[in-house]
Amino acid sequence: MKIRFFLLDIDYITEKKGLKIRLWGKTADGKNVVVFVQSNPYFFVFPKDIKKAQKDIEEILKGKNISVKGIEKIEKKLNGELKEFLKITCFLPQHTQKIRDFIKVLEKNRGGTGSIIEEYEYSINFYRRFLMDKRIDGNCWLEIEGEKLNTNYKVDLALNAKKIKVLEDISIPELKILAFDIETSEIAGEKQIVMASFYGKAFKKVITDQKSDYPDWVEVVKDEKELLQKIVKTFNEYLPDIIVTYYGDSFDFQVLMDRCQSNKVKLIVSRDKTETKFTRRARISSARLNGIVHLDIFNFISNILSPSLQTEVLSLDAVSSELLGDKKIEVDYQEMLEAWRKGKNLSKLAEYCLKDAELTYRLAEILLPQNFEITKTVGQILFDVSRMTYGQLVEWYLSRKASEKNEIIPNQPKYEQVLKRRKITYIGGFVKEPLPGIHEKIAILDFRSLYPSLIVSFNISPETLNCDCCEENGHKVAGLNYWFCQRKEGFIPSVIKELIEKRSQIKKKLKETEKTSLEYKVLYNRQYALKIIANATYGYFGFAGSKWYSKECAESCSALGRYWIKKTIEEAENKGFEVIYADTDSLFLKTKDGDIKQATEAFLDYINEKFPGMLELDLQGYYETGIFIPRGAAPGTAKKRYALIDKKGELLIRGLETVRRDWCNLAKEVQRKVLEFVLRDKDIEMAKQYVKEVVENIKQKQILLKDLIIYEELTKPIETYKQIGPHVMAAKKLRERGMEVGEGMLIMFIITKGQGSISQRAEPVEFVSLKEIDSDYYIYHQILPAALRVLQVLGVSEKDLVS
DNA sequence: ATGAATCGGGG
DNA sequence: GTGTACGATTCAT
């Protein structure tokens, strides 16, 4: 039979019958399907002497208890040049790595016969390799010809594939999305789940074992075990295609798993009825539910979205406020613990819990389309792509293109090499320090496409660097002794060029498309996906763990970038602009006299005419008022920092917010108000006055103790700390008073007056009264830094705020 | 001063 | 069934 479906997930299983890839997806008429495909993993050997290499390998394998499916001779490009390789096809995914380890001793530098020079692509994950080979993108439509199978899976249809065809179709079928959130409480130092919420299309549900009067969408069960069973049941009855969480990889699913183990409940959510497992990744483990995509949107927000967000605090509250214009229900942590303990206000907590799931769901509604398009562009699956950093997106995009162009994918550097690379530095982007103060009528020009353009125009790629053929007339980089090949297009420029060209085609099409249509949305997200990958490639050259690392390429990009931005600044100044600020790829202009819009438009026409190749300067926008903060002004100098306000009174703030939960509430409040005074009311005096009042209030103790609490987590057992920070000291004091203190506990403390370091004066909030607080700490370490972050630029100093 | 250690995000 | 964050803050030397 023949079916068509939208690919959601892929994995593989090893059964007695052999190794099978599983493709999971959904048909246009809402059926969930799984398709089994026969495939084998393999890797490549680059030989010195191909015949001897094959004999040597066969000899080694005879001595080990491991066999291969086959060894064949094939041709692949290594650094752009066609060479002969041995392709070793294996029976099991883990065999590629294992067999490689056995045969690497043949390399000369390891004291072997020298018949092998190097091995390649032995650590590429099996299903990722499958996607690359078959040219299948995650979230594409597939047409499968095959025979029906019987499984015990929770699917409508299972097939054994004979033929797979990738279809051209941009549509997305209706998917069942379910957001999930839990609330926990600490009882005798142990975390317990006390509430869970679910939010989907026309579906809302809260389950709890805490008795109280609730609205009808709350279900009360008798204990935690029943709560856990009910959670599992809800997942299985709703049977979503995608489960969305906010920080679920590191919290909700971790705790759920943990509690299920303690209560002997099986956490079976997957479609193949296997228990939830965590797949290890770099920093975090991810909860994987076979056949259901677990999307933890915090990953995407933190890895990809955060640079373009105004907020630097990536809490659900801050992110929802910015993206949805909606907030969490306000309950602070202390209040929540109190509520669980006393069984008070539980109805509000149920609302709170549901609201979290609702916000998570609505964020997913916005971010899923973007994720689908990035997934399609990179050519991997949603589960993985939604968790990738910029570097990983670039790496997997390049890997896919390498596979398409029959190029060998370079190996990942060894750890020692990464360390060595990290020590190498080169000069970064050019920064023209901002002129201090408030500026009016500003134009922002954007060079964002600067690096991709330069890579293409100058043919910057590891294998085109210092080629033999162009020593005389290659692309020269001013100030560096490098050149890039004029004759042969490099691998990276060729794939970047594809990205840029595809993107400009889409942008052209966007102009002819109805803005409210689905097609517009899809195309818009697609061009965004292409843009972020193209823009990240320069950084990837210089990233120490990169497979296509080249210090020379990265250095060339930044040198050329500096050259062009300086030239642009010069041109702008010649045309009568005042350049208030410039950083790497953006310029902030003001006219000395005349209309900013007219002058800017004329300048853009003029300069883009002059620029070579694909280089282009774009208008980012006009702003009424703005302040810019010099990189050196405050500690932490790497980020661009400014605040702007446009004609409609909309604020645009970058890099100014710093206050996280390890700052007290009062500091957060102060920073927010100061920004409002400065930008909205343009009244520095009022801002100063306000800060002075707060300072005075602290001195007079006219504040609430709860606004001074600092929250910090004990991330490991208390004995293992080498450095005793304030929260560790506070935790020790809790323990001395007979409280159980464990890993993962959120410590709430106050800095008190007295002798010694900050840590020594950190006291658990339970044992502090307002009169003991260290006013100086709160004034000089919390309130003033938060306020001065903004006010410093306006010439306000610490002295102006404390009399 | 400078470097090492630690944290966030979720509850 | 691979593995890269990073900027701010405080302690320790």
Side-chain angles (χ1 to χ4, degrees):
Chain A
M1 70 181 295
K2 199 189 260 185
I3 58 159
R4 290 172 165 222
F5 72 96
F6 181 76
L7 181 65
L8 280 167
D9 202 16
I10 177 169
D11 57 14
Y12 64 79
I13 43 163
T14 338
E15 287 177 331
K16 275 173 239 140
K17 283 171 271 173
L19 178 64
K20 290 254 169 74
I21 290 275
R22 290 190 300 195
L23 304 167
W24 302 88
K26 193 157 205 185
T27 64
D29 57 352
K31 288 200 172 75
N32 283 89
V33 297
V34 62
V35 172
F36 295 86
V37 194
Q38 164 64 39
S39 181
N40 281 95
Y42 60 85
F43 69 101
F44 301 111
V45 169
F46 183 48
K48 172 121 187 145
D49 174 341
I50 198 157
K51 279 202 182 119
K52 185 162 171 17
Q54 180 156 0
K55 245 178 67 196
D56 285 351
I57 292 168
E58 282 164 354
E59 199 58 42
I60 285 182
L61 293 179
K62 250 185 246 166
K64 316 278 176 188
N65 195 14
I66 198 164
S67 57
V68 294
K69 190 154 188 272
I71 302 179
E72 60 186 312
K73 233 193 292 183
I74 56 144
E75 286 190 327
K76 286 202 71 104
K77 280 190 261 177
L78 182 64
N79 301 323
E81 284 179 46
L82 211 56
K83 305 265 176 172
E84 276 200 321
F85 287 84
L86 286 172
K87 177 179 175 181
I88 318 267
T89 307
C90 308
F91 285 110
L92 292 172
Q94 58 270 37
H95 283 180
T96 52
Q97 187 77 251
K98 221 175 191 171
I99 292 171
R100 185 261 165 172
D101 284 341
F102 287 144
I103 66 177
K104 71 180 179 192
V105 298
L106 293 171
E107 290 171 28
K108 201 174 175 187
N109 57 4
R110 295 180 203 267
T113 63
S115 59
I116 287 179
I117 299 171
E118 182 70 286
E119 310 77 34
Y120 290 100
E121 304 193 12
Y122 47 85
S123 65
I124 293 181
N125 176 287
F126 178 47
Y127 72 68
R128 292 189 172 192
R129 136 99 53 221
F130 176 84
L131 290 168
M132 295 198 284
D133 285 354
K134 302 286 180 197
R135 312 279 186 262
I136 298 173
D137 307 328
N139 304 140
C140 70
W141 285 88
L142 295 174
E143 186 179 272
I144 308 285
E145 256 184 78
E147 51 200 43
K148 227 174 138 176
L149 270 178
N150 283 324
T151 62
N152 68 339
Y153 293 4
K154 284 179 279 186
V155 291
D156 301 304
L157 189 61
L159 237 61
N160 231 339
K162 287 213 180 88
K163 234 166 137 186
I164 304 174
K165 199 172 133 195
V166 179
L167 304 172
E168 292 284 332
D169 185 347
I170 63 157
S171 70
I172 291 164
E174 186 149 329
L175 298 168
K176 277 174 93 174
I177 298 162
L178 186 64
F180 169 61
D181 182 53
I182 60 165
E183 307 301 320
T184 62
S185 159
E186 277 174 41
I187 295 159
E190 200 183 345
K191 220 169 247 148
Q192 284 196 12
I193 300 181
V194 286
M195 202 175 256
S197 63
F198 300 87
Y199 194 96
K201 194 180 172 189
F203 184 78
K204 57 177 184 179
K205 187 184 179 91
V206 168
I207 313 169
T208 179
D209 61 357
Q210 308 290 304
K211 321 264 171 308
S212 181
D213 274 335
Y214 295 109
D216 60 357
W217 38 264
V218 180
E219 186 179 348
V220 183
V221 294
K222 79 168 193 289
D223 55 17
E224 194 190 24
K225 182 165 185 167
E226 207 169 286
L227 172 57
L228 297 168
Q229 286 165 337
K230 211 72 199 198
I231 290 172
V232 173
K233 199 169 164 221
T234 306
F235 278 133
N236 282 292
E237 282 174 359
Y238 195 82
L239 218 54
D241 300 305
I242 299 176
I243 291 176
V244 201
T245 60
Y246 198 90
Y247 212 54
D249 276 346
S250 311
F251 186 75
D252 301 71
F253 271 102
Q254 295 277 5
V255 177
L256 189 57
M257 180 78 132
D258 201 46
R259 296 315 296 162
C260 280
Q261 271 163 5
S262 300
N263 283 284
K264 302 205 166 34
V265 173
K266 282 195 169 165
L267 183 55
I268 296 176
V269 183
S270 60
R271 284 185 189 271
D272 63 359
K273 299 182 184 166
T274 55
E275 277 189 76
T276 303
K277 46 185 186 299
F278 285 84
T279 62
R280 276 234 285 267
R281 314 182 85 84
R283 248 180 73 251
I284 41 150
S285 287
S286 303
R288 184 140 202 185
L289 317 162
N290 298 339
I292 297 173
V293 185
H294 169 213
L295 184 76
D296 176 356
I297 45 172
F298 175 77
N299 290 309
F300 179 71
I301 289 168
S302 146
N303 291 333
I304 305 302
L305 221 53
S306 62
S308 53
L309 289 178
Q310 294 185 31
T311 173
E312 292 191 32
V313 188
L314 300 181
S315 61
L316 178 59
D317 193 50
V319 174
S320 306
S321 300
E322 187 171 338
L323 294 178
L324 304 171
D326 199 357
K327 292 171 71 64
K328 279 171 75 117
I329 293 173
E330 267 178 59
V331 179
D332 60 37
Y333 187 63
Q334 210 193 7
E335 192 184 330
M336 188 181 291
L337 288 184
E338 192 90 346
W340 298 132
R341 216 173 297 138
K342 295 184 178 158
K344 264 183 18 197
N345 265 336
L346 293 183
S347 189
K348 185 183 178 188
L349 288 188
E351 303 269 2
Y352 169 92
C353 186
L354 186 69
K355 186 75 188 183
D356 279 6
E358 185 204 321
L359 293 173
T360 305
Y361 179 85
R362 286 169 56 203
L363 283 175
E365 277 186 313
I366 297 179
L367 302 179
L368 255 174
Q370 277 181 18
N371 272 279
F372 283 147
E373 294 311 316
I374 298 171
T375 299
K376 276 184 213 172
T377 306
V378 171
Q380 292 295 329
I381 49 162
L382 182 59
F383 178 84
D384 291 325
V385 172
S386 67
R387 287 169 172 79
M388 286 180 185
T389 60
Y390 279 102
Q392 289 166 313
L393 290 178
V394 172
E395 186 154 286
W396 285 99
Y397 176 78
L398 292 180
S399 298
R400 169 62 173 266
K401 291 293 155 185
S403 157
E404 286 176 17
K405 289 170 192 278
N406 201 33
E407 281 271 358
I408 285 280
I409 300 168
N411 288 334
Q412 205 129 38
K414 303 275 167 300
Y415 189 61
E416 306 82 66
Q417 201 170 1
V418 172
L419 291 181
K420 236 186 263 169
R421 285 177 181 180
R422 273 194 201 144
K423 293 208 179 86
I424 302 169
T425 53
Y426 53 91
I427 310 164
F430 175 76
V431 180
K432 181 178 166 26
E433 286 291 336
L435 305 171
I438 299 187
H439 297 279
E440 309 224 336
K441 309 272 179 204
I442 304 156
I444 303 186
L445 303 183
D446 193 331
F447 243 151
R448 210 47 57 81
S449 57
L450 177 63
Y451 294 115
S453 315
L454 291 172
I455 291 169
V456 174
S457 304
F458 287 80
N459 201 24
I460 297 173
S461 198
E463 81 282 11
T464 55
L465 172 73
N466 297 346
C467 61
D468 296 333
C469 53
C470 306
E471 198 163 353
E472 293 296 303
N473 56 356
H475 294 287
K476 292 236 166 51
V477 182
L480 298 169
N481 290 323
Y482 312 138
W483 68 90
F484 293 94
C485 189
Q486 280 272 17
R487 297 165 60 178
K488 213 171 129 199
E489 190 181 38
F491 167 66
I492 290 178
S494 77
V495 300
I496 298 287
K497 199 160 130 194
E498 266 177 51
L499 281 178
I500 297 176
E501 279 166 1
K502 232 190 230 169
R503 178 157 185 254
S504 55
Q505 274 171 20
I506 293 172
K507 285 191 105 175
K508 208 180 279 167
K509 219 166 156 193
L510 268 174
K511 282 187 184 146
E512 302 155 4
T513 310
E514 177 55 46
K515 277 198 173 173
T516 51
S517 67
L518 172 78
E519 196 191 358
Y520 187 90
K521 219 174 141 188
V522 170
L523 290 174
Y524 182 84
N525 284 316
R526 182 160 301 171
Q527 68 80 30
Y528 171 78
L530 296 169
K531 183 178 92 174
I532 64 170
I533 292 165
N535 289 349
T537 309
Y538 148 64
Y540 182 71
F541 276 142
F543 155 59
S546 165
K547 290 183 178 177
W548 277 272
Y549 175 85
S550 169
K551 175 223 163 200
E552 293 86 349
C553 290
E555 205 175 11
S556 302
C557 287
S558 74
L560 288 164
R562 287 194 305 275
Y563 171 82
W564 286 108
I565 194 134
K566 280 188 204 161
K567 196 165 171 75
T568 311
I569 291 171
E570 209 174 282
E571 294 271 4
E573 282 169 347
N574 287 342
K575 290 278 171 189
F577 288 96
E578 195 177 350
V579 180
I580 315 167
Y581 173 41
D583 189 340
T584 313
D585 50 17
S586 48
L587 292 164
F588 298 71
L589 303 182
K590 210 159 88 169
T591 43
K592 292 206 177 93
D593 42 44
D595 183 50
I596 181 76
K597 286 191 186 178
Q598 248 173 21
T600 305
E601 262 150 52
F603 178 64
L604 282 173
D605 288 343
Y606 162 80
I607 196 91
N608 283 327
E609 189 65 37
K610 270 190 130 181
F611 282 155
M614 308 183 98
L615 212 56
E616 207 171 332
L617 193 63
D618 290 316
L619 176 74
Q620 201 255 310
Y622 297 108
Y623 292 88
E624 288 297 298
T625 317
I627 57 171
F628 302 89
I629 299 174
R631 286 192 168 196
T637 51
K639 272 200 168 176
K640 300 179 187 183
R641 287 194 195 152
Y642 53 85
L644 299 159
I645 191 159
D646 69 9
K647 247 194 171 134
K648 291 179 206 144
E650 296 282 334
L651 286 171
L652 176 71
I653 301 162
R654 284 285 144 78
L656 290 170
E657 226 183 318
T658 51
V659 279
R660 313 180 303 187
R661 82 162 178 224
D662 47 354
W663 287 64
C664 69
N665 273 341
L666 193 58
K668 296 182 201 179
E669 171 86 0
V670 165
Q671 190 167 71
R672 195 175 55 79
K673 286 230 170 114
V674 164
L675 269 170
E676 262 173 35
F677 281 129
V678 169
L679 289 156
R680 197 151 279 159
D681 307 328
K682 293 182 203 167
D683 196 333
I684 302 171
E685 278 314 309
M686 253 164 71
K688 276 160 72 174
Q689 199 49 47
Y690 165 73
V691 179
K692 279 187 196 169
E693 269 167 37
V694 175
V695 167
E696 203 49 42
N697 287 345
I698 293 176
K699 285 186 184 163
Q700 303 296 327
K701 316 270 195 275
Q702 296 291 324
I703 31 159
L704 295 173
L705 188 65
K706 83 174 177 74
D707 289 332
L708 300 182
I709 302 174
I710 299 166
Y711 297 83
E712 232 170 314
E713 184 184 337
L714 210 57
T715 59
K716 50 185 187 175
I718 202 160
E719 302 77 23
T720 59
Y721 279 89
K722 285 189 202 165
Q723 187 171 285
I724 310 301
H727 69 301
V728 184
M729 191 59 96
K732 282 188 171 176
K733 290 175 184 171
L734 273 177
R735 201 172 52 177
E736 278 164 24
R737 302 203 190 204
M739 306 264 276
E740 281 187 71
V741 171
E743 198 180 337
M745 190 169 163
L746 190 60
I747 310 295
M748 298 177 279
F749 61 91
I750 300 273
I751 305 299
T752 58
K753 263 187 307 213
Q755 295 287 308
S757 66
I758 295 171
S759 290
Q760 284 161 324
R761 291 181 285 117
E763 289 290 335
V765 64
E766 291 91 328
F767 311 123
V768 184
S769 69
L770 199 54
K771 61 177 191 292
E772 295 167 276
I773 63 154
D774 179 1
S775 310
D776 281 351
Y777 173 82
Y778 283 98
I779 294 168
Y780 292 100
H781 285 81
Q782 296 266 329
I783 305 305
L784 294 183
L788 283 170
R789 190 77 177 242
V790 180
L791 290 174
Q792 198 166 40
V793 204
L794 305 168
V796 179
S797 71
E798 204 173 277
K799 275 181 257 142
D800 302 323
L801 298 173
V802 279
S803 27

